[in-house]
Amino acid sequence: MKGTVLYGPRDVRFEELPTPEISKSTDAVIRISATCVCGSDLWPYRGLQPIDGPTPMGHEYCGVVEEIGSAVRNIRPGQFVVGSFAASDNTCPHCRYGYQSSCRQREFMLRAQAPLLRVPLADGTLVPTPGMPADDLLPSLLTLSDVMGTGWFAADAANVKPGGTVVVVGDGAVGLLGVLSAKVMGAERIIAMSRHEARQKLAREFGATDIVSGRGEEGISLIMDLTNGIGADSVLECVGTSESMTQAIRATRPGGSVGYVGVPHGVELKGQELFYTHIHLHGGPAPVRRYLPELIRLVCDGEIAPGKVFDLILPLDQVAEGYRAMDERRAIKTLLRP
Ligand SMILES: [Zn+2]
């Protein structure tokens, strides 16, 4: 089997890898129907996050179960399944509290940019769809594995409520799906921060009511103007830089909430400044597994189409071009089909 391996900055190869097999009785092996490149894959791709030698890539996936281990009870071969980027047992105290991405047995997925994938803790990690989905639902179902689940968590963590005012910092795929999530949760006003025309257009399609193209001080003062000097009830931080986090905190009203899901790189918060903001901060790797049943229902009922975020579809063996296009911001998100 050939799969995707990152060798170093901007060096992605599609090369021979061992074929995944059941190694624990709780595993499943699935045949990938669609996978994709994540914004977080770009950190090591750009050399901004060190890797320890050649690293198999990919953690977003959906597909058909091929084989299960002897202890797997809830999942059967032939089912179409979606799983989180973090494998979890869904039974430990953290899972039962809704934080499956902090599962005591958590394993971050790797190797999903390949035709076959071993999924640990299959009973806890995978959620089957009702029947075999139509081909045109695949992109939307795939987003539930990470990017849509993460946008949804950002909105949930930012306490988005019907009638509320929301700011979304970041116009990558997660930010755009954060806009969609806020819309589904009933926000009345959704201000998307974006400087790119194609992304602004998609943000509006997903439910943004206003676009702010300024950044830094300018961006913050534009948001204050739009909110009568109050700030937003809920702010979704979907980038992970020091600048974006500062922007998110300063755009939030006293008593408001920031949901932060961009993996922080170089973010440092000053305790005393934070103390006087009166804001709630809640973030981390999204507990996607908690949301999967509800999000699968919304996709299968045609209520949301988060798959619109994919603006480049490539055969899996052209994965290197998929990374390049996202790195150069020619594509918002690349879907790969084995
Ligand atoms: Zn657990």
Side-chain angles (χ1 to χ4, degrees):
M1 174 195 84
K2 282 190 170 178
T4 305
V5 181
L6 180 67
Y7 273 75
R10 296 184 169 80
D11 184 3
V12 168
R13 304 183 198 173
F14 191 66
E15 62 173 29
E16 205 56 39
L17 288 173
T19 300
E21 297 175 343
I22 302 288
S23 63
K24 286 187 187 160
S25 61
T26 47
D27 289 348
V29 170
I30 69 172
R31 181 163 295 278
I32 298 287
S33 303
T35 179
C36 51
V37 181
C38 182
S40 66
D41 294 334
L42 295 182
W43 291 105
Y45 180 80
R46 290 171 171 158
L48 298 172
Q49 185 176 302
I51 54 169
D52 191 17
T55 305
M57 297 295 285
H59 55 261
E60 296 170 88
Y61 57 95
C62 60
V64 178
V65 179
E66 286 252 311
E67 204 187 339
I68 55 172
S70 59
V72 175
R73 295 287 170 266
N74 306 332
I75 299 296
R76 295 185 307 278
Q79 282 180 320
F80 188 94
V81 289
V82 185
S84 163
F85 65 87
S88 58
D89 55 24
N90 213 27
T91 55
C92 79
H94 304 323
C95 284
R96 279 180 295 167
Y97 203 60
Y99 285 79
Q100 289 90 342
S101 42
S102 273
C103 176
R104 282 182 168 171
Q105 300 196 66
R106 175 186 67 192
E107 285 183 48
F108 285 117
M109 298 296 296
L110 271 176
R111 303 174 180 272
Q113 290 160 3
L116 289 164
L117 176 69
R118 180 181 76 88
V119 180
L121 304 166
D123 275 340
T125 305
L126 298 172
V127 179
T129 53
M132 194 57 67
D135 214 45
D136 61 355
L137 287 182
L138 288 186
S140 288
L141 289 168
L142 172 63
T143 65
L144 308 186
S145 180
D146 180 352
V147 59
M148 177 63 191
T150 296
W152 190 267
F153 174 57
D156 192 15
N159 200 26
V160 173
K161 290 273 188 290
T165 296
V166 176
V167 167
V168 180
V169 181
D171 64 358
V174 170
L176 293 166
L177 293 176
V179 170
L180 175 63
S181 300
K183 175 73 179 171
V184 175
M185 292 179 191
E188 188 174 297
R189 189 139 193 225
I190 304 172
I191 304 165
M193 305 194 73
S194 172
R195 299 199 291 189
H196 298 82
E197 206 177 322
R199 293 166 192 242
Q200 292 173 353
K201 189 164 166 276
L202 192 51
R204 285 203 186 273
E205 205 176 319
F206 281 148
T209 53
D210 302 82
I211 304 284
V212 164
S213 57
R215 275 193 181 180
E217 289 298 329
E218 191 204 354
I220 292 160
S221 80
L222 287 167
I223 283 166
M224 283 301 161
D225 289 347
L226 285 171
T227 58
N228 300 321
I230 297 169
D233 306 324
S234 302
V235 179
L236 283 56
E237 195 291 309
C238 308
V239 182
T241 62
S242 179
E243 186 194 20
S244 63
M245 193 65 167
T246 302
Q247 200 154 295
I249 289 169
R250 292 191 45 202
T252 309
R253 69 188 296 170
S257 302
V258 174
Y260 64 106
V261 296
V263 181
H265 287 75
V267 176
E268 282 177 29
L269 301 179
K270 294 203 173 70
Q272 200 165 72
E273 267 176 39
L274 202 54
F275 181 76
Y276 285 103
T277 62
H278 262 147
I279 62 166
H280 303 254
L281 279 179
H282 183 191
V288 165
R289 175 63 183 81
R290 188 202 320 170
Y291 305 123
L292 276 175
E294 168 72 356
L295 292 177
I296 287 173
R297 188 193 66 73
L298 287 170
V299 167
C300 290
D301 289 355
E303 290 181 35
I304 56 172
K308 286 180 188 165
V309 83
F310 293 110
D311 55 351
L312 179 62
I313 297 177
L314 292 174
L316 179 58
D317 61 5
Q318 290 176 36
V319 59
E321 168 56 17
Y323 275 79
R324 257 194 311 276
M326 282 175 64
D327 177 38
E328 294 164 9
R329 286 178 78 91
R330 284 185 279 121
I332 298 172
K333 196 164 172 76
T334 308
L335 183 142
L336 302 161
R337 298 219 53 177

